[in-house]
Amino acid sequence: MISYNTLVVLSGCALLGVAAGTVGTFALLRGRALVADAVGHAALPGVAVAALIVALVG
């Protein structure tokens, strides 16, 4: 059986993949692939900090 935590992580990863694929496709079609790449790399520290906060609080 799949536990609740595994289900939450899998659904979160799936939603992130769909969102990133959609934004990436539109950015590529509009010729703004480098801007999307820069935004993606700029968001990484925020995701890492959020994961650390959740790990410390939970």
Side-chain angles (χ1 to χ4, degrees), residues 16 42-52:
L16 180 63
L44 183 63
V47 172
V49 169
L52 287 173

Side-chain angles (χ1 to χ4, degrees), residues 1 6 12-13 16 22 29 34-35 37 41 50 53 56 58:
M1 290 188 81
T6 305
C13 288
L16 180 63
T22 304
L29 291 176
L34 291 178
V35 173
D37 192 39
H41 282 93
I53 289 172
L56 291 175

Side-chain angles (χ1 to χ4, degrees), residues 7-56:
L7 188 60
V8 169
V9 170
L10 287 176
S11 60
C13 288
L15 287 174
L16 180 63
V18 168
T22 304
V23 171
T25 300
F26 284 119
L28 181 68
L29 291 176
R30 292 192 52 140
R32 308 209 188 243
L34 291 178
V35 173
D37 192 39
V39 170
H41 282 93
L44 183 63
V47 172
V49 169
L52 287 173
I53 289 172
V54 168
L56 291 175

